[in-house]
Amino acid sequence: MNSSFSYLFKKGCESIWLNKLMSIASVAVLSACLILVGVATLFSANIGKALDYVESQNEVVVFVYDTATDEQKAEIENKVKTHDNIASYTYISKEQALEEARAGFGEDASLLDGIEEGGSGNPLPASYRITLKDLDKMDDTVAQFTVTEGVEKVNSPRAEAEAIVSLKNIVSVAGVTLVVVLVAVSLLIIANTIRLTVFSRRKEINIMKYVGATNGFIRMPFVIEGMLIGLISAVIAYVAIYFGYATIMDGLGQFSSPFITSLADSFIPFKDIWFYVLGGFVGGGMLTGVLGSVVSMRKHLKV
Amino acid sequence: MIEFKNVSKVYPNGTYGLKDVSVKIEQGEFVFVLGSSGAGKSTFLKLIMHEETPTSGEITVNDFKVSSMKQKEVPLLRRSMGIVFQDFRLIPNMNVYDNVAFALRVTGTPTRELRKRVPFVLDLVGLVDKAKNMPTELSGGEQQRVALARALVNKPSLIIADEPTGNIDPELSMEIVDMLDSINKVGTTILMVTHEHELIRRYENRIITIENGTILSDRPDWRSV
């Protein structure tokens, strides 16, 4: 019945306006909760990405025997090129290794001059410097290369890798827990706020039942009210996150440390996620508003 | 049309509201229900309105099997009757017009239909010029007339009045009962609970007296013994 729905919708809107103080309180609480949920989620996501970035800086080095045959060298190169856990690699030849050593010695580079002429020549091995995709599989990858013929040894930043993997796990678990707790708290607070509204109108609801209104008819304006409060809170939370995110990104960009700037670069750009943030807020806000209304009305509809 | 067949109501704490009551009220009657407080008259009304359900027995109201109804049918029952309470029970933050209109809105009546019927019943009770007033701005008698208009607007076949003159000055009480009488003359069944004996004496109506949960007497008028 269209006339009924537009009447009830109007009543829901009127109710928000007439009970301004209550509505403002509800919107304030729900906005705060949504913002916290947004911050927690975005924070976890960004920490995850930052850790990914740090992870990608860790290199595994595969050293090749000088005495390896051409076949073995080709085999090693092939393995490096085609391995599915290798994100990128750099080949450092013996000569390049020596150059790097010279650069490392700085002023004392002349000490290395004698190497090529006397003795057994350049002792430094050729190597592949590898960055892995998945640090969890590092041990497997290292083992695979260690047993490959022609490989002298494999260096891996085992300790750092383990630390990063556990840190990522902790952040995921903490992030999810925090979000779940915040969502539960939001629901409770909203349900309670609406329960107060419903309670203050229980006489009215009672009269409506005597006049023959169905539960759905009585509930609808409160549900509309809950939905609108959810919607308004969602918009406020979105605007807050939008400006907050931009401010933080700018703030990080001010730091002179290249580590922090490249960290900031790895932050998820807002334009990639604005839709999810807005959608999440609107969906979550309206759902909380509706659920809060329905749950808090149940007792008063039993006449 | 109301029919009670061997109806009993026992409350959880063990007290009897009604004990094996059987009575029939035909369409078009105007019946007074008397009895002291706690005698069972409110239980009687509550059972008719489905505010309570009987512990045993059958109740039929307007072709509704009230004693065995499903919860979702209750609104339909309530719409088939107009109820007038002692404390008026108008919705406080709606004006007179909206209060009366509300009874039509719950049935999904379209707005243009509403615009005809509400002024019509307000005119019947003589309150057209107070349509925009809030209930708090009206006297007790006026509020009760609004409640009556609301009870009438759905054209019910039965009107239940629970001590309708309880909160009204004696002079105005007669007006209310006169109105109920006119409504009855058009064919609506009226069931009025009261303890005001002077009012009763002005009419030749059936009187059912309830005492201790049973029907003490059921007389065709106040003179019969």
Side-chain angles (χ1 to χ4, degrees):
Chain A
M1 281 167 243
N2 275 334
S3 52
S4 281
F5 184 76
S6 51
Y7 169 72
L8 293 170
F9 189 83
K10 226 174 56 156
K11 289 244 99 190
C13 298
E14 265 175 27
S15 178
I16 294 190
W17 182 251
L18 289 173
N19 302 311
K20 280 189 213 67
L21 210 58
M22 202 84 202
S23 307
I24 291 176
S26 309
V27 166
V29 167
L30 190 53
S31 303
C33 288
L34 284 175
I35 291 174
L36 284 174
V37 168
V39 166
T41 314
L42 289 174
F43 191 68
S44 308
N46 276 313
I47 293 264
K49 285 219 91 190
L51 287 175
D52 280 346
Y53 170 74
V54 173
E55 190 174 43
S56 69
Q57 302 304 303
N58 282 310
E59 288 180 334
V60 167
V61 187
V62 176
F63 292 102
V64 181
Y65 271 118
D66 288 349
T67 52
T69 64
D70 286 342
E71 279 165 11
Q72 286 169 337
K73 286 187 189 171
E75 177 61 33
I76 294 171
E77 170 129 10
N78 190 44
K79 224 177 177 175
V80 167
K81 276 193 182 142
T82 57
H83 198 282
D84 52 16
N85 195 19
I86 291 184
S88 64
Y89 71 92
T90 321
Y91 176 70
I92 311 286
S93 65
K94 291 172 66 76
E95 293 73 32
Q96 284 170 302
L98 191 58
E99 280 308 308
E100 279 185 6
R102 274 194 209 280
F105 269 73
E107 289 169 358
D108 302 325
S110 48
L111 288 173
L112 295 170
D113 283 344
I115 288 182
E116 271 138 32
E117 284 127 72
S120 37
N122 181 355
L124 298 174
S127 60
Y128 287 92
R129 296 207 185 125
I130 298 168
T131 50
L132 297 180
K133 289 180 190 163
D134 191 350
L135 273 190
D136 281 346
K137 303 205 183 94
M138 186 179 75
D139 286 349
D140 282 340
T141 312
V142 165
Q144 283 166 11
F145 277 97
T146 312
V147 301
T148 308
E149 289 181 0
V151 170
E152 183 173 351
K153 74 192 236 330
V154 181
N155 276 355
S156 63
R158 207 156 188 289
E160 294 94 309
E162 278 177 0
I164 289 180
V165 169
S166 9
L167 200 58
K168 272 166 81 170
N169 286 336
I170 291 174
V171 168
S172 308
V173 170
V176 168
T177 312
L178 195 60
V179 168
V180 167
V181 167
L182 284 172
V183 166
V185 168
S186 308
L187 270 174
L188 274 173
I189 294 184
I190 292 307
N192 210 50
T193 310
I194 296 187
R195 192 178 299 144
L196 287 173
T197 314
V198 171
F199 183 76
S200 67
R201 293 199 236 151
R202 66 196 185 290
K203 245 181 82 177
E204 194 180 320
I205 294 173
N206 192 274
I207 296 173
M208 291 187 197
K209 294 228 75 175
Y210 278 114
V211 177
T214 54
N215 284 354
F217 192 88
I218 299 176
R219 247 202 295 262
M220 186 64 83
F222 290 98
V223 167
I224 300 275
E225 196 178 337
M227 254 172 66
L228 282 175
I229 289 183
L231 193 61
I232 297 172
S233 307
V235 170
I236 293 177
Y238 179 75
V239 169
I241 294 283
Y242 180 84
F243 284 111
Y245 205 83
T247 311
I248 292 178
M249 296 265 285
D250 284 344
L252 280 178
Q254 306 287 358
F255 281 90
S256 45
S257 156
F259 177 70
I260 294 191
T261 13
S262 32
L263 208 62
D265 283 341
S266 72
F267 259 41
I268 307 166
F270 197 78
K271 58 177 162 55
D272 284 355
I273 51 164
W274 73 268
F275 184 72
Y276 298 102
V277 175
L278 185 63
F281 279 164
V282 167
M286 284 173 73
L287 190 65
T288 310
V290 169
L291 275 179
S293 306
V294 170
V295 163
S296 55
M297 286 205 73
R298 230 186 258 143
K299 206 172 58 162
H300 297 279
L301 290 176
K302 291 201 172 112
V303 172
Chain B
M1 196 275 283
I2 302 173
E3 185 169 2
F4 274 53
K5 280 192 194 153
N6 303 105
V7 173
S8 292
K9 173 68 186 174
V10 187
Y11 286 103
N13 60 4
T15 46
Y16 269 87
L18 287 181
K19 274 182 264 190
D20 196 35
V21 166
S22 295
V23 70
K24 192 164 178 188
I25 297 168
E26 303 284 358
Q27 181 64 38
E29 289 194 53
F30 186 161
V31 180
F32 289 122
V33 177
L34 260 68
S36 46
S37 324
K41 352 188 263 288
S42 10
T43 309
F44 183 62
L45 286 189
K46 284 184 187 174
L47 287 169
I48 295 174
M49 294 191 284
H50 203 284
E51 196 180 328
E52 300 276 358
T53 44
T55 319
S56 61
E58 255 178 53
I59 303 175
T60 315
V61 175
N62 289 342
D63 298 328
F64 285 95
K65 285 225 180 329
V66 178
S67 38
S68 53
M69 255 180 136
K70 291 193 205 119
Q71 195 62 34
K72 62 179 167 117
E73 293 167 358
V74 176
L76 293 170
L77 167 72
R78 301 232 177 114
R79 289 178 206 174
S80 74
M81 55 177 76
I83 312 178
V84 179
F85 295 96
Q86 181 174 356
D87 53 356
F88 323 131
R89 301 215 189 157
L90 297 178
I91 297 175
N93 53 16
M94 288 186 191
N95 64 25
V96 163
Y97 184 94
D98 289 331
N99 258 293
V100 176
F102 190 79
L104 287 174
R105 291 210 191 264
V106 304
T107 56
T109 312
T111 316
R112 60 188 135 73
E113 178 77 23
L114 225 114
R115 286 206 202 105
K116 285 188 260 169
R117 290 207 51 80
V118 174
F120 179 73
V121 296
L122 282 178
D123 185 49
L124 283 180
V125 301
L127 285 176
V128 179
D129 49 347
K130 303 266 184 175
K132 296 274 189 224
N133 287 66
M134 301 300 280
T136 44
E137 297 164 5
L138 302 174
S139 69
E142 288 169 332
Q143 288 187 58
Q144 195 61 298
R145 284 191 277 159
V146 176
L148 192 53
R150 178 179 66 186
L152 285 171
V153 80
N154 260 323
K155 301 190 227 187
S157 55
L158 163 69
I159 289 196
I160 296 179
D162 189 358
E163 311 254 14
T165 57
N167 287 359
I168 301 174
D169 302 330
E171 311 87 59
L172 298 170
S173 299
M174 293 198 294
E175 246 182 59
I176 299 285
V177 189
D178 280 344
M179 275 188 205
L180 287 172
D181 193 47
S182 336
I183 296 165
N184 173 247
K185 293 238 167 25
V186 198
T188 311
T189 312
I190 312 267
L191 188 66
M192 177 169 144
V193 169
T194 186
H195 58 264
E196 310 218 31
H197 293 264
E198 314 79 52
L199 278 176
I200 293 172
R201 274 185 241 278
R202 300 181 72 234
Y203 301 91
E204 306 281 319
N205 292 343
R206 178 175 169 193
I207 302 173
I208 296 176
T209 312
I210 299 181
E211 200 63 45
N212 279 331
T214 54
I215 294 185
L216 190 65
S217 69
D218 187 350
R219 318 169 256 164
D221 59 65
W222 61 272
R223 288 191 200 79
S224 331
V225 166

